Amino acid sequence: MVPSDRAYQKCINPSCGAEFDCAQVLFKCPRCGDPLDVRYNWDKIKLPQKLGDFAKRWVTRGSQLDFSGVWRFRELLDFCDDRYKVSVGEGQTLLQQNGALAKELGMNPASLFLQYEGLNPSGSFKDNGMTAAFSHAKMVGAVASACASTGNTSASMALYAHSCGLKATVFIGEGKIAFGKLSQSMDYGAHTIRVAGDFDDCMRQVQDVCTELNIYLVNSLNPFRLEGQKTIMLRIIEALGWQVPDWIIVPGGNLGNSSSFGKVFAELKEIGLIDRVPRLAVINAHGANTLTELVNDKGLKWNGGKVNDTIADDYFAHLDATGYRPDTIASAIEISRPVNLKKCLRALEVCNGVVLDVTDEEILDAKAQVGKYGLGCEPASAATIAGLKYLLANGTVDKDARVACILTGHLLKDPNATVNYHSKMAREFSNPPVQVENDLQKIIALMK
Ligand code: F0G
């Protein structure tokens, strides 16, 4: 394979800055251990004059790459030739303006937008990333793929691996995994390995397994995967008539999404396709709030690339020493050692971002509100609305600001959480089924 003159990999640590060809399969910088970015030689890429020029591909959506909500923006992630690109129709998602929910939250009804990533083929935002990761996997000739997962990564990986002929192995922990997600990876034919540990343990194991057995890792440590996730922001801008919103609100788990969002806004600004970046809010579950504690309580920041590693090292040593295990109903984000921590810190700097955490009850209430007024989502996704309530209450987000909340996963991923909330929890938005005898008059009486 001829090395691309358009893209390369680069260590995110400015004091290292080591560069590597895109043909190399790396999960972190071999020199200093920090994460890697995919970078572009923009002057070698035929960029559009303005973002709106991408709209011309709606006309040619009969072609697979133009149909894809990821690859129709391909000049902005130009790391491989079209012949390697893999697509299963990802990114046909919806930005819904939701006036009813906005009103309920005390916002201007025109200003709240819900980005439904659950509409992707495997039911979560992960497909945006997998299409890019598997395209890179094809480009480097990989034959087997693996990931650690709280469920959605594995479902998406299994779907893409199956569709392009790679083997797939999924590592899941003993913690919660929503049945919708587990059923997908089994049905899509992935080899599923349950490790006696949690997600963070699986994440550590899978990196060693992949190195030892030369397997292609598709977790968000993989910089190519994050390139695909950038397009979630492009589709929001597209749906807003090529305008940038004021706020992006996203749940934080392994912090891949938030990292990729910060990256694309920095890139778009650099190449002059936008003139301002939105602000970013990353919402943790309280029972898995590493980012919140590190940023808000311990003052950890990107600091132009001079991250104070001791703060994070001490924090993780304390988690080890106390045997801490994350615990939240939002199982997708039940993660205490986010692999993209540094990239997320950078995104927070780029987007003047904020971080906060919300309780499981707040997540479930917000989830029921999304379900009542929108198309529904899984618990982790609803952390965005729960977080937005705080940001409105403390004046960080103005009621007239244009806010896009990323609903990362489909309602049907975790039916147990939904049924339990409605039938057992007796919360404000619980909507339990009502029992009645098999008797017409009694049924009619109930309906009056
Ligand atoms: N929302 C959903 C529905 C997820 O599945 C995940 C991550 C996140 C949010 C967090 O996103 O890692 O980019 O901060 N799920 C991973 C998995 C960890 O294995 O499916 P992030």
Side-chain angles (χ1 to χ4, degrees), residues 313-326:
D313 291 348
D314 288 353
Y315 181 85
F316 293 128
H318 178 71
L319 294 189
D320 278 346
T322 55
Y324 174 83
R325 295 279 175 199

Side-chain angles (χ1 to χ4, degrees), residues 125-126 148-153 181 199 229 251-257 332-333 335 378 380-381 408-409:
F125 74 92
K126 304 284 179 182
S149 184
T150 57
N152 280 326
T153 303
K181 306 175 187 181
F199 172 83
Q229 289 171 217
N254 230 353
L255 304 178
N257 261 338
I333 51 174
I335 296 171
E378 68 165 281
S381 314
T408 45

Side-chain angles (χ1 to χ4, degrees), residues 144-148 154 157 161 167-171 190-193 206 209 215:
S145 58
C147 70
S154 50
M157 177 187 81
K167 280 195 203 144
T169 307
V170 168
F171 290 81
H191 183 199
T192 304
I193 298 180
V206 75
V209 169
I215 293 175

Side-chain angles (χ1 to χ4, degrees), residues 106-129:
M107 293 176 79
N108 175 338
S111 55
L112 178 63
F113 297 85
L114 305 180
Q115 174 68 12
Y116 282 100
E117 288 300 314
L119 298 177
N120 272 294
S122 81
S124 85
F125 74 92
K126 304 284 179 182
D127 298 347
N128 295 287

Side-chain angles (χ1 to χ4, degrees), residues 397-436:
V397 172
D398 188 85
K399 66 177 181 29
D400 294 315
R402 293 222 286 186
V403 177
C405 293
I406 316 303
L407 300 184
T408 45
H410 200 285
L411 170 71
L412 297 176
K413 289 280 189 174
D414 192 352
N416 292 17
T418 309
V419 172
N420 201 42
Y421 176 87
H422 288 296
S423 46
K424 299 213 183 103
M425 288 183 68
R427 300 277 306 174
E428 187 182 350
F429 303 100
S430 293
N431 178 26
V434 184
Q435 287 283 352
V436 66

